[in-house]
Amino acid sequence: MEELTIRRRVREMVTTGALPCEDPESLWGGMGDGARCAACAEPIGAREVEYEADLASGRKILLHRPCYLIWLEECEPGPSTPEAPAPSTP
């Protein structure tokens, strides 16, 4: 899945609360075991890095490394990363 598609999906999930913006109480990294990523919904393969974030709410989310970084960016306060460059004016 392309980064822009994942970013849009994560942004929507954060907006609706389907993917919470909570600081993890603990964060673990390791190789995937086929579980689905909370951000892109694709399986995290045995050759891919998987992050497991245990949230204060008691929820556990699993994310690919790139999806984890996008989630962090989208949860940052302030303006989010733009979806596409703004058109330039002559």
Side-chain angles (χ1 to χ4, degrees):
M1 189 177 290
E2 292 183 21
E3 179 182 344
L4 184 56
T5 303
I6 296 168
R7 185 169 301 281
R8 285 181 183 143
R9 180 178 163 85
V10 168
R11 189 173 293 153
E12 181 178 333
M13 293 174 76
V14 165
T15 300
T16 63
L19 191 58
C21 285
E22 298 177 36
D23 289 332
E25 287 193 335
S26 60
L27 181 67
W28 307 94
M31 303 312 288
D33 64 1
R36 295 218 176 255
C37 175
C40 71
E42 296 292 324
I44 305 170
R47 294 183 181 189
E48 297 176 290
V49 174
E50 169 187 277
Y51 284 124
E52 176 183 315
D54 295 324
L55 307 179
S57 63
R59 185 170 175 189
K60 174 177 80 171
I61 58 173
L62 302 173
L63 300 152
H64 289 102
R65 184 179 187 282
C67 296
Y68 172 75
L69 296 174
I70 290 170
W71 175 64
L72 289 179
E73 289 172 4
E74 291 300 323
C75 287
E76 281 294 312
S80 60
T81 305
E83 291 187 19
S88 59
T89 52

